[in-house]
Every structure is written in structure tokens, then in C-alpha cells.
Amino acid sequence: MAIDKRVATAAEALAGVKDGAVVMVSGFAGAGFPNALLEALRDSGPTGLTLVANSATHPLSLTHTLIEAGMVTKVIASAARGRGQELSSFEQQWRDGKIELECVPQGNFSERIRAGGAGIPAFYTPVGYGTELGEDKEIREFKGRPCVLEDAITGDLALIRGDVGDRFGNIKFRYAQMNFGVAMATACTTTVAEVREAVDGAIPPVEVQLPSVYVNHVVAVGGEV
Amino acid sequence: MAIDKRVATAAEALAGVKDGAVVMVSGFAGAGFPNALLEALRDSGPTGLTLVANSATHPLSLTHTLIEAGMVTKVIASAARGRGQELSSFEQQWRDGKIELECVPQGNFSERIRAGGAGIPAFYTPVGYGTELGEDKEIREFKGRPCVLEDAITGDLALIRGDVGDRFGNIKFRYAQMNFGVAMATACTTTVAEVREAVDGAIPPVEVQLPSVYVNHVVAVGGEV
Amino acid sequence: MSALNRSQMAWRAAQDLPDGSVVNLGLGMPVWVSNYLPVDRDIFFQSENGILGVGPQADEDSQDRNIVDAGSRRVTLREGASVVDSVNSFAMIRGGHINVTILGAFEVASNGDLANWDARVPSKGPLVGGAMDLAVGAKATWILMQFNTKDGAPRLLKTCTLPLTAPHCVKRIYTDIAVVDVTPDGFVAREILATVGTDELRSRTGTAIAIAPDCQALNAPEISL
Amino acid sequence: MSALNRSQMAWRAAQDLPDGSVVNLGLGMPVWVSNYLPVDRDIFFQSENGILGVGPQADEDSQDRNIVDAGSRRVTLREGASVVDSVNSFAMIRGGHINVTILGAFEVASNGDLANWDARVPSKGPLVGGAMDLAVGAKATWILMQFNTKDGAPRLLKTCTLPLTAPHCVKRIYTDIAVVDVTPDGFVAREILATVGTDELRSRTGTAIAIAPDCQALNAPEISL
């Protein structure tokens, strides 16, 4: 049968997300947030989620709406500080012990997710050694440099945003929109990509940045270029 | 000063390669062999080289000319079998104990080179466990799956072939020409790229496949598209 | 009918590839599988050198030296294809994103151990390529080979005698006289050539082989080599 | 002259960036450094979100939400720029491909330990971002900060009191009253503001600080904030 991974709505693409799922959310520095998918996930209402997102509190990402809705019990992130004087919803729940936080250096974060998608169960890195974030990790020296052992991160569902998607599931991003999207798609059982535009034809082979094999559903949601 | 990494000849780009250097050579399956650079390296004549190349014996690569010239004392490769009935020059020297061979599964090969360029000193992988190529390696189980510990490979010089280069050192490949070129460029102190065409302007940002930071010299050598 | 020829063996394996799957075909007979897909299957063939979506071999006049498969054959790109470098190609393979790999083999053991990379030809160099990565990384490893060696020796054994590619990886074996599953209880014949009785099959197998209760006759249409 | 203002501090650090280097600038004052490059320097600024070749901030009418730096500022791409995903961006950072990173700091110890990621604000979530990766991965880590806290407490200490970003990573510190090297023998002042005597400098430092034999006067042109 001809492959067509396009679905009409974010809600359709996200039907059946289970309580307790590990959900990865792309986006960094204002680019690549899958906000239409995050809205649909919030509306569908699974609970006990683990969120893997670079920031738990970026004001331009709707990640915080899942947290405010009480759907999240664990966050793995490199940034979890609200910008205002008042505590963010994340900070309040974290302080109250309702959300567990694993704070990870951003490069270990991206590398661990990549490892999850690439079949690497664990790797050594000097980043984090000698810091609070490296505490309780196994330490080993390579060429005189102490390193910590970091394990892969995998997930059940990746929510990413691209610019253009095709019916095969190929995705093209716009500039820095790419950030964590590629790695997260490789590391999750199911990947849903929201895109500005879903095309009938195929994205030319040399322009594909995320190959079709990593994408299960493509949802066109419009939005600015 | 305005950056311009283009040099006129392969010989110029390869001046001063030291005896005993670890040299990585891109190319796989007929695509991406930096044969103009290999000719120039053979002519410049350093000895005691370690070659890191997917194949020591691919008939379309001039890698074998370095071996025939007696310049190579070690090879790290996933393929080292000559195609003919007669022994290849590599096989003869390997059998005679003149060349040491480290045979590596191709995925471990690419991943170890990538690790070398990415600051990862070592990683675990299930590939090679339980085989001759995993012998004498440290073994550890992750989620019930035994893995071997593989260390990074780094080099002094990467020789790669691309399609188009610019004065900044950005490289664009043509389809499967990319293969090991990107990873090798990241893992070596110095990278020389031969390209079909070196342009005066810049390759558009979204078309760059190997960013300028990884390339030291660009040599236009022509050749077919 | 008499024993399947190589084209018929490839045809038989092709019938079982799931619609929508991503498949890597090993060098030699396995690449022929793509010629015999049922019309209702839309499948992406991946090649280790980074192409996802290998199409038919290129015509003489549309060949491109940089559009090749891992066997250096000049191929085409199908609609929806994409191209990545070797690192990402093997991340795809090793990360469990290939549904099925079909490989040749010298020997398979009843516990799923595979020996397909080194036949121990004296003085010839080793050639492992991506065999270990594929056998370990693909979700399912199928074997396509003659049931016996040219000398009539069994290839289905209790323990492999040749160097292992990977332990416990083979799920199914397509041969000229039978289709055999590798189960936790060892070999189970699923299809046997009508002219080969179970006694003959057992006599040509190097260890115990069970006959499935619903064992069928192995059939294939007439296909010339 | 009086203590350097923040623009002048950024100017001073900018003067030392090597021509042709690749530089990552931290959030806050460090990003100002790119405004004050000497005209003879052609430098590529890298941003953690994947841009190599960050140009000036975008005009109101040429902004693109997907061309941003790690601080979410809408920027431009310089000639020769390229864009990669977060995995490859951090591979670039962690693999030793960034010549210099200029970061803010809370404290620096005389052995080069850096504390710049967590000021321990009660109930606020942690935010590490790429700080640890940059401090560990860049070939040189420079710090740009006020010599003392707002309360007049020293930031140059024998041992950091705040959580470490990385041990032994800082090479040089640019401040409002001095430029200080971190050497195997501890802090060495290279430039001191003329109106600040060595006694005052010592009194404002939390541990021993040597004065370089060729110590110069710290100077900067008039620049308004």
C-alpha cells in the first residue's frame, strides 16, 4: 500500500498516549516548539508523564501547560528555572515534591538522546565530572581525564516541529528549528511531527534532514515560515 | 583577515605530513574517495602511517598505492580482503607481518570516529560481543544485553572528497559521497578536502553538510559530477 | 518441483516482507529480493552507505557514481528517498530502526548464532563490513542461503564452526529446500520442498530440526536465474 | 580612568580573540563581545542551538523566528554560516572544535574551577544549559565578570563556594578592574586599572594573586553602555 503518514489533526495523531509515557518535546531558544501537538496532548489528558525537554519553563513553549495541568511527574531537562520573580508552576510542583527533576547538561542531554536512538546504551564523557550533576555517577579516567558514565535516554513518544513534511514522513526544518527534533525522533518508539506544510510529493532526497524511518505521523498545522 | 582555506594544489595542502601520522581516508562503495589527495600523499612519501579507511583494498580507491609504496604500518578498517585470487599488496604485507590490521565492524568504525570528533572517549555497544572482533574487550551488560567497550579513534589528518567547497571550508557532498567524510573531518587535527569545485562565494547555510570549522584546506581537483 | 534456484529463493523471502517496512539487503543473493516484491508492498530499502530508499539499478545512461549501494552497484533513488552519512546510517541500523535485514550466511546455529563474515580463506584479509551491525541492530535478521554447502555439508548446526557474526540473532532462514524458523527450542521447519521428505531434511541438517505442525510445501513460481 | 563599564569589559575581551577563530559567547554580557571586534579579525561565532556563524541581531523587518541564538535573540547569519542540530552542535563544542568560549561567572578558583550555573536561589529551579559542555569542551574558557559581587565580596577565590560548572577549566578572566590569568601557580594579574593599586587588587581578591612582571594598565576606549 502507498505510504501516507499524514493525519488530519494533532488529536488524531496523539490518540492513545498512555499514562506514564515518556514524552520528548523538541524546541530550544524559541525555535522548534511543537505547540499544536502540546495543546492536543494536554487536551487528551494522560497523566504521570515523564517529559524530556531542554527547558521545562521556556515561555514560548507550551510544555508548561502539561505541567500546569498536573499531567507530569518527572522532568529531564537542562533548564528548569522560571523567568519571573514568582515561582513557575514547574518550580512550585518541584518544590512540593510532586515533580521529580533530572537536571542534565545540555550536551549530555542531546548526546544521551542520540545514544538512545543509535543503539548505544552508555558512554563516557568528561562533562559533569566534579560537579553536582555528576554525583553518584560512575567515574573512569581516559588519557588522564576523569569522565562520568552516562546512559542513553529513550522515550515512548517524540513531539517535534518541522517546516515541511511529506507523505513518507520525511521532514525538513527551517534553520535552528532543527535543534533536538532529529535526535528525539530517533530515540522514541513513536514520533509525531507537526509541520507548517505537508506536501503531496516527496521532499528532494538531499533536502531531507530527518529521514522518514523515524517519523510515524505528520500533521500540518500552518504557522509562520 | 578574510578567511580563505582554498589552496591551489593537493601537494601544497599536504606539505609536511609527518612520518607515523594517523591518516583517515573517506570513501565507500565507489563514492567519496579522495584520490587526488592520496596521489599527492604518496608522492610526498611519509612512512610509518596508520591508515583509517573503511576498506584497505577497494579497487576504486588509491589507498592501496600508499600500501604498495610501503608507507603504511597499520590499518584500521572494516574490509581488508583483495578481490582477486592473488593476494593484494595489503594481504601480502599483512601476512608478512609488515602491516598490523585492526578489523572493526563498520558501525563500530564509524561510531568510534564520530566519538573521536565529539569528545566521547569511549562507549558501549552490543556489536562485536561474542565474536572474535570483540575478544579482549571489556564486557558489560545493559538491560540484560552484553556489550563491549569501544574507544574513540582520532587522527592527525583526514583526507576526504566532497562535491563543492567554499573559501570558508564549508563542504557539500553529492548523495552517498558523504559516507565517512563528515565523521573523519571531525576526528582529525587537520582535514583536507578535495572537491570537484571550489566556489568564490559561500555555500548557502542550509546546504552545508560539513561545517567550515572542521576543514583546514580545500583543493579543487575537478572530476565528474 | 526441484530445489529453488537463487532467484526463486529471493522471491520466496520477498513474499514475507511486511508492507511499509524498512529493509536492508546484504550483498549477493539478498539484494535480488527487491526484484520480487509483491505489488501490494511499499518498502524502503536501506543501504549501509547511507541511502534510505534504494531503487532499481540505474540504466547505463542515468548512472551517477555517487548514487550507489553498499555493494558499489549504481542504483537509483525511489520517491521519498533520503541520504545520510555513514555515522547516521549505522545509527539507523544499530538503533533498531531497520525492520528486517536479509543476509547471506555460511552457518547458522540452532540458538540463532550466525557465522557469515569470515570463511577463513588462508592469507586473505578479513572483511566484516556492516554484517555485525546489521545482525545485532535490525529488529529481525533473516538468512538467505543454500541449505547445504557445495560439498553437501550442513549449514544448520548445533554450534557454528566458523567465526561468529553475532550470537542469538537469526529469526528465520530461507533456503533452496526449506524455510526454517529459529525458535527458543531450536530449528523448526515451516516449509519444505515437496520432493524433499522430512527424513531427507533431517539428514541434511547438522542438528535437531522440528517440523512445524502446520508445515507447508515450499513453492515458488518459475523464475530463470 | 574609572572601572570599566560592561561594554568596555566586552570590548577588552574582544581585542584578544584570535583572527580566524571559532568562538562561543555565553548569555548576558559575553554576547556583547561580538560588537567590539577589531576590524582585522574574521571570526565565526557559534551558538549552542546549532548556528555556526551568528551575525548581528536582526532588524525588526528581517527577523526570522528560526534564526535565533541560544539566548532566543533573533539574529542573522554571516557569510559562510551553517546550521546543524543540537547533537552536532554539542559534538562541535565537546569535541574541542571551539577555540574560545567567553562565559559569565559567579566565582572562579585559583586552580581554574568555575562556578557559573547555579547561584542557589531558594525554590528556583536549576538552569545549567550548555555551560558545563562549553567549559569542558572549548579549547580555552575565558570569563567575563565583575571583579567583585554587588556587595563587594570577592569572586576570585581559593575554592568556589557555589556549585561547580567544571573543574580546572578557566584560563583567563576579564573584569572591570583587571585582566587575570589562571596559571598552574594560581591567579596572575596581567592588566590592572591605573586607579586601582596592587594593594587594592589584592584586598578585593579572595586568595593570593600574583602581579605579572610585565603587568600593564587596563585600558578601554569610552563606550557608553
PDB file of all heavy atoms in Angstrom, chain A residues 38 51 56-69 89:
ATOM      1  N   LEU A  38       1.457  19.896  21.607  1.00  0.00           N
ATOM      2  CA  LEU A  38       1.391  20.001  23.069  1.00  0.00           C
ATOM      3  C   LEU A  38      -0.029  20.344  23.523  1.00  0.00           C
ATOM      4  O   LEU A  38      -0.512  19.812  24.528  1.00  0.00           O
ATOM      5  CB  LEU A  38       2.395  21.053  23.569  1.00  0.00           C
ATOM      6  CG  LEU A  38       3.862  20.588  23.509  1.00  0.00           C
ATOM      7  CD1 LEU A  38       4.817  21.767  23.703  1.00  0.00           C
ATOM      8  CD2 LEU A  38       4.131  19.509  24.558  1.00  0.00           C
ATOM      9  N   LEU A  51       8.508  14.094  31.077  1.00  0.00           N
ATOM     10  CA  LEU A  51       8.814  14.982  29.969  1.00  0.00           C
ATOM     11  C   LEU A  51      10.316  15.077  29.794  1.00  0.00           C
ATOM     12  O   LEU A  51      11.048  15.340  30.753  1.00  0.00           O
ATOM     13  CB  LEU A  51       8.290  16.398  30.245  1.00  0.00           C
ATOM     14  CG  LEU A  51       6.817  16.688  30.086  1.00  0.00           C
ATOM     15  CD1 LEU A  51       6.596  18.207  30.146  1.00  0.00           C
ATOM     16  CD2 LEU A  51       6.287  16.131  28.774  1.00  0.00           C
ATOM     17  N   ALA A  56      11.988  23.163  30.885  1.00  0.00           N
ATOM     18  CA  ALA A  56      10.649  22.918  31.438  1.00  0.00           C
ATOM     19  C   ALA A  56       9.859  24.203  31.545  1.00  0.00           C
ATOM     20  O   ALA A  56       8.669  24.184  31.859  1.00  0.00           O
ATOM     21  CB  ALA A  56      10.766  22.280  32.823  1.00  0.00           C
ATOM     22  N   THR A  57      10.512  25.324  31.266  1.00  0.00           N
ATOM     23  CA  THR A  57       9.893  26.615  31.598  1.00  0.00           C
ATOM     24  C   THR A  57      10.029  27.657  30.499  1.00  0.00           C
ATOM     25  O   THR A  57       9.785  28.834  30.740  1.00  0.00           O
ATOM     26  CB  THR A  57      10.562  27.178  32.884  1.00  0.00           C
ATOM     27  OG1 THR A  57      11.978  27.230  32.664  1.00  0.00           O
ATOM     28  CG2 THR A  57      10.265  26.334  34.085  1.00  0.00           C
ATOM     29  N   HIS A  58      10.415  27.246  29.274  1.00  0.00           N
ATOM     30  CA  HIS A  58      10.596  28.274  28.234  1.00  0.00           C
ATOM     31  C   HIS A  58       9.253  28.934  27.938  1.00  0.00           C
ATOM     32  O   HIS A  58       8.275  28.245  27.656  1.00  0.00           O
ATOM     33  CB  HIS A  58      11.180  27.660  26.965  1.00  0.00           C
ATOM     34  CG  HIS A  58      11.756  28.702  26.034  1.00  0.00           C
ATOM     35  ND1 HIS A  58      10.977  29.585  25.326  1.00  0.00           N
ATOM     36  CD2 HIS A  58      13.043  29.012  25.729  1.00  0.00           C
ATOM     37  CE1 HIS A  58      11.764  30.382  24.617  1.00  0.00           C
ATOM     38  NE2 HIS A  58      13.017  30.054  24.849  1.00  0.00           N
ATOM     39  N   PRO A  59       9.214  30.264  27.990  1.00  0.00           N
ATOM     40  CA  PRO A  59       7.917  30.952  27.864  1.00  0.00           C
ATOM     41  C   PRO A  59       7.248  30.743  26.496  1.00  0.00           C
ATOM     42  O   PRO A  59       6.027  30.857  26.400  1.00  0.00           O
ATOM     43  CB  PRO A  59       8.279  32.433  28.080  1.00  0.00           C
ATOM     44  CG  PRO A  59       9.761  32.532  27.877  1.00  0.00           C
ATOM     45  CD  PRO A  59      10.328  31.199  28.242  1.00  0.00           C
ATOM     46  N   LEU A  60       8.016  30.453  25.457  1.00  0.00           N
ATOM     47  CA  LEU A  60       7.412  30.288  24.131  1.00  0.00           C
ATOM     48  C   LEU A  60       6.961  28.855  23.856  1.00  0.00           C
ATOM     49  O   LEU A  60       6.337  28.574  22.848  1.00  0.00           O
ATOM     50  CB  LEU A  60       8.400  30.728  23.044  1.00  0.00           C
ATOM     51  CG  LEU A  60       8.776  32.207  23.055  1.00  0.00           C
ATOM     52  CD1 LEU A  60       9.811  32.507  21.984  1.00  0.00           C
ATOM     53  CD2 LEU A  60       7.548  33.085  22.865  1.00  0.00           C
ATOM     54  N   SER A  61       7.280  27.931  24.752  1.00  0.00           N
ATOM     55  CA  SER A  61       6.845  26.547  24.581  1.00  0.00           C
ATOM     56  C   SER A  61       5.625  26.285  25.452  1.00  0.00           C
ATOM     57  O   SER A  61       5.529  26.812  26.572  1.00  0.00           O
ATOM     58  CB  SER A  61       7.973  25.600  25.000  1.00  0.00           C
ATOM     59  OG  SER A  61       7.492  24.267  25.040  1.00  0.00           O
ATOM     60  N   LEU A  62       4.723  25.459  24.946  1.00  0.00           N
ATOM     61  CA  LEU A  62       3.541  25.121  25.761  1.00  0.00           C
ATOM     62  C   LEU A  62       3.801  23.918  26.674  1.00  0.00           C
ATOM     63  O   LEU A  62       2.869  23.384  27.266  1.00  0.00           O
ATOM     64  CB  LEU A  62       2.342  24.860  24.855  1.00  0.00           C
ATOM     65  CG  LEU A  62       1.842  26.107  24.097  1.00  0.00           C
ATOM     66  CD1 LEU A  62       0.588  25.774  23.291  1.00  0.00           C
ATOM     67  CD2 LEU A  62       1.565  27.258  25.065  1.00  0.00           C
ATOM     68  N   THR A  63       5.049  23.532  26.794  1.00  0.00           N
ATOM     69  CA  THR A  63       5.394  22.466  27.727  1.00  0.00           C
ATOM     70  C   THR A  63       4.791  22.735  29.114  1.00  0.00           C
ATOM     71  O   THR A  63       4.300  21.828  29.785  1.00  0.00           O
ATOM     72  CB  THR A  63       6.940  22.362  27.857  1.00  0.00           C
ATOM     73  OG1 THR A  63       7.489  22.140  26.566  1.00  0.00           O
ATOM     74  CG2 THR A  63       7.351  21.229  28.778  1.00  0.00           C
ATOM     75  N   HIS A  64       4.818  24.002  29.488  1.00  0.00           N
ATOM     76  CA  HIS A  64       4.343  24.340  30.839  1.00  0.00           C
ATOM     77  C   HIS A  64       2.864  24.039  31.040  1.00  0.00           C
ATOM     78  O   HIS A  64       2.422  23.814  32.170  1.00  0.00           O
ATOM     79  CB  HIS A  64       4.634  25.812  31.167  1.00  0.00           C
ATOM     80  CG  HIS A  64       3.887  26.783  30.295  1.00  0.00           C
ATOM     81  ND1 HIS A  64       2.629  27.221  30.597  1.00  0.00           N
ATOM     82  CD2 HIS A  64       4.225  27.386  29.136  1.00  0.00           C
ATOM     83  CE1 HIS A  64       2.221  28.059  29.658  1.00  0.00           C
ATOM     84  NE2 HIS A  64       3.171  28.172  28.752  1.00  0.00           N
ATOM     85  N   THR A  65       2.098  23.982  29.933  1.00  0.00           N
ATOM     86  CA  THR A  65       0.660  23.721  30.105  1.00  0.00           C
ATOM     87  C   THR A  65       0.414  22.285  30.573  1.00  0.00           C
ATOM     88  O   THR A  65      -0.536  22.021  31.306  1.00  0.00           O
ATOM     89  CB  THR A  65      -0.118  23.969  28.799  1.00  0.00           C
ATOM     90  OG1 THR A  65       0.344  23.073  27.793  1.00  0.00           O
ATOM     91  CG2 THR A  65       0.051  25.403  28.333  1.00  0.00           C
ATOM     92  N   LEU A  66       1.287  21.365  30.157  1.00  0.00           N
ATOM     93  CA  LEU A  66       1.152  19.991  30.643  1.00  0.00           C
ATOM     94  C   LEU A  66       1.452  19.947  32.139  1.00  0.00           C
ATOM     95  O   LEU A  66       0.829  19.215  32.903  1.00  0.00           O
ATOM     96  CB  LEU A  66       2.123  19.061  29.906  1.00  0.00           C
ATOM     97  CG  LEU A  66       2.038  19.002  28.376  1.00  0.00           C
ATOM     98  CD1 LEU A  66       3.041  17.994  27.835  1.00  0.00           C
ATOM     99  CD2 LEU A  66       0.632  18.642  27.925  1.00  0.00           C
ATOM    100  N   ILE A  67       2.434  20.742  32.515  1.00  0.00           N
ATOM    101  CA  ILE A  67       2.826  20.787  33.929  1.00  0.00           C
ATOM    102  C   ILE A  67       1.725  21.420  34.763  1.00  0.00           C
ATOM    103  O   ILE A  67       1.349  20.904  35.815  1.00  0.00           O
ATOM    104  CB  ILE A  67       4.165  21.543  34.059  1.00  0.00           C
ATOM    105  CG1 ILE A  67       5.291  20.720  33.397  1.00  0.00           C
ATOM    106  CG2 ILE A  67       4.478  21.847  35.519  1.00  0.00           C
ATOM    107  CD1 ILE A  67       6.587  21.457  33.199  1.00  0.00           C
ATOM    108  N   GLU A  68       1.188  22.539  34.255  1.00  0.00           N
ATOM    109  CA  GLU A  68       0.108  23.209  34.982  1.00  0.00           C
ATOM    110  C   GLU A  68      -1.115  22.306  35.113  1.00  0.00           C
ATOM    111  O   GLU A  68      -1.851  22.386  36.098  1.00  0.00           O
ATOM    112  CB  GLU A  68      -0.282  24.515  34.263  1.00  0.00           C
ATOM    113  CG  GLU A  68       0.747  25.608  34.491  1.00  0.00           C
ATOM    114  CD  GLU A  68       0.727  26.666  33.389  1.00  0.00           C
ATOM    115  OE1 GLU A  68      -0.212  26.675  32.571  1.00  0.00           O
ATOM    116  OE2 GLU A  68       1.682  27.466  33.353  1.00  0.00           O
ATOM    117  N   ALA A  69      -1.319  21.449  34.121  1.00  0.00           N
ATOM    118  CA  ALA A  69      -2.477  20.553  34.153  1.00  0.00           C
ATOM    119  C   ALA A  69      -2.256  19.347  35.062  1.00  0.00           C
ATOM    120  O   ALA A  69      -3.132  18.473  35.161  1.00  0.00           O
ATOM    121  CB  ALA A  69      -2.808  20.095  32.734  1.00  0.00           C
ATOM    122  N   SER A  89       4.919  27.243  37.607  1.00  0.00           N
ATOM    123  CA  SER A  89       4.160  26.059  38.012  1.00  0.00           C
ATOM    124  C   SER A  89       5.113  24.878  38.209  1.00  0.00           C
ATOM    125  O   SER A  89       4.978  24.097  39.155  1.00  0.00           O
ATOM    126  CB  SER A  89       3.112  25.725  36.949  1.00  0.00           C
ATOM    127  OG  SER A  89       2.413  24.558  37.305  1.00  0.00           O
TER     128      SER A  89
END
